[in-house]
């Protein structure tokens, strides 16, 4: 039976993505594979991670780290790599990522949407989350890739201060997202956060849905749909979780 497998933040951990596809018995050509974005940076090989996803026929939404390397690539494509290196300030981890990615990988990342509806599951996939006050089509694209919380003035913020946006998302669509390894697995009534910090030596996690299945509101029932594999190593130290990193 055709299933939908939605995977959390890969962050350059292509081997663990392979492990997770094995653990879920992913059937390419039958199952649908969806990644919540941030395929690159932090882990050992961003190029290998993107190629693993492409080879597996994955669909994905764009994350803030994917966008970061794309800013460099767009400049490099227009003005040359030397100009891009001078004009676009990248952290060391993003500098490494852009050397690991081929043009084909960048093109694949550049084609990723910021959100993806999965109507058969009444589910919306987005990298970081949504502002509960705003219709989807009017959301700030930057916030779709960066939101973590709602502050005391009901405004979306990138930080951990305030309330996790997923706690106040009313639905009706269920939102599956990543981006928030500090909070880790989030199982809210109408939102599921899948960033379990693989690049930090924790786990890579997927939710596996049968054809036409709605994501269970009941947390115990939903937990039975989760599959995780351990990180093969601690690939990166964890920051304070409040910045764009
Ligand atoms: Mn992210």
């Amino acid at each position: 039976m055709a299933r939908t497998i939605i995977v959390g933040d890969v962050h350059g951990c292509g081997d663990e993505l392979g492990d997770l596809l094995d653990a879920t018995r992913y059937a390419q050509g039958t199952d649908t594979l969806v990644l919540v974005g941030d395929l690159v940076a932090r882990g050992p090989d961003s190029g290998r991670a993107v190629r693993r996803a492409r080879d597996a026929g994955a669909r994905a939404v764009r994350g803030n780290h994917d966008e970061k390397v794309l800013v460099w690539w767009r400049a490099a494509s227009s003005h040359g790599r030397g100009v891009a290196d001078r004009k676009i300030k990248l952290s060391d981890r993003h500098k490494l990522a852009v050397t690991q990615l081929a043009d084909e990988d960048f093109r694949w990342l550049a084609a990723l949407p910021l959100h993806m509806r999965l109507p058969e599951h009444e589910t919306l996939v987005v990298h970081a989350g949504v502002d509960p006050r705003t219709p989807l089509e009017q959301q700030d694209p930057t916030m779709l890739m960066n939101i973590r919380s709602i502050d005391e003035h009901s405004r979306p913020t990138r930080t951990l201060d305030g309330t996790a946006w997923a706690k106040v998302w009313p639905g009706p669509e269920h939102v599956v997202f990543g981006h928030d390894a500090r909070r880790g697995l989030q199982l809210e009534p109408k939102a599921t956060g899948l960033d379990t910090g693989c690049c930090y030596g924790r786990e890579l996690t997927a939710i596996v849905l049968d054809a036409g299945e709605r994501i269970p509101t009941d947390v115990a029932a939903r937990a039975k749909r989760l599959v995780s594999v351990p990180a093969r190593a601690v690939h990166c130290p964890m920051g304070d979780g409040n910045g764009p990193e």
Side-chain angles (χ1 to χ4, degrees):
M1 186 168 59
R3 303 169 303 160
T4 300
I5 301 171
I6 312 174
V7 176
D9 304 43
V10 171
H11 272 308
C13 299
D15 289 341
E16 287 89 339
L17 176 58
D19 293 342
L20 187 57
L21 297 183
D22 290 344
T24 56
R25 300 173 204 260
Y26 169 60
Q28 189 166 351
T30 302
D31 296 333
T32 298
L33 176 62
V34 180
L35 309 182
V36 302
D38 274 1
L39 280 77
V40 306
R42 290 189 179 136
D45 195 329
S46 295
R48 201 143 53 94
V50 172
R51 284 188 285 282
R52 192 80 184 75
R54 289 174 51 206
D55 289 347
R59 304 170 65 192
V61 293
R62 199 185 315 163
N64 56 308
H65 288 266
D66 308 319
E67 179 60 25
K68 187 84 185 169
V69 298
L70 283 169
V71 169
W72 178 90
W73 180 70
R74 290 184 198 110
S77 300
S78 300
H79 307 295
R81 289 179 170 238
V83 173
D85 286 340
R86 284 196 300 279
K87 295 216 160 164
I88 309 297
K89 293 280 170 256
L90 294 179
S91 67
D92 287 346
R93 63 175 63 128
H94 293 109
K95 284 179 190 165
L96 176 63
V98 301
T99 66
Q100 293 170 331
L101 292 161
D103 264 344
E104 277 303 305
D105 302 322
F106 281 115
R107 268 193 280 278
W108 188 86
L109 290 171
L112 299 181
L114 296 182
H115 58 77
M116 184 188 300
R117 283 200 158 102
L118 303 175
E120 71 168 304
H121 306 294
E122 288 179 11
T123 289
L124 174 72
V125 181
V126 61
H127 175 62
V130 290
D131 176 355
R133 304 169 308 173
T134 307
L136 182 61
E137 285 66 27
Q138 293 164 29
Q139 299 266 331
D140 175 355
T142 301
M143 274 300 162
L144 292 175
M145 293 186 284
N146 288 279
I147 188 174
R148 286 197 179 91
S149 306
I150 303 297
D151 72 11
E152 70 267 32
H153 306 293
S154 301
R155 287 183 305 227
T157 156
R158 301 168 181 232
T159 75
L160 291 166
D161 302 326
T163 305
W165 71 266
K167 284 194 181 294
V168 294
W169 170 248
E173 282 181 304
H174 196 106
V175 179
V176 177
F177 66 103
H179 185 62
D180 202 344
R182 178 65 62 167
R183 288 192 177 111
L185 187 68
Q186 295 184 54
L187 302 175
E188 302 299 341
K190 284 291 179 180
T192 299
L194 291 177
D195 188 354
T196 49
C198 184
C199 62
Y200 303 118
R202 286 155 50 196
E203 295 178 311
L204 186 64
T205 298
I207 186 164
V208 181
L209 302 170
D210 288 334
E213 183 185 10
R214 308 290 183 267
I215 294 180
T217 304
D218 177 71
V219 167
R222 199 180 324 160
K224 291 183 182 153
R225 300 286 184 271
L226 301 175
V227 177
S228 295
V229 294
R232 293 191 179 193
V234 178
H235 300 292
C236 177
M238 192 177 225
D240 66 8
N242 267 325
E245 299 297 298

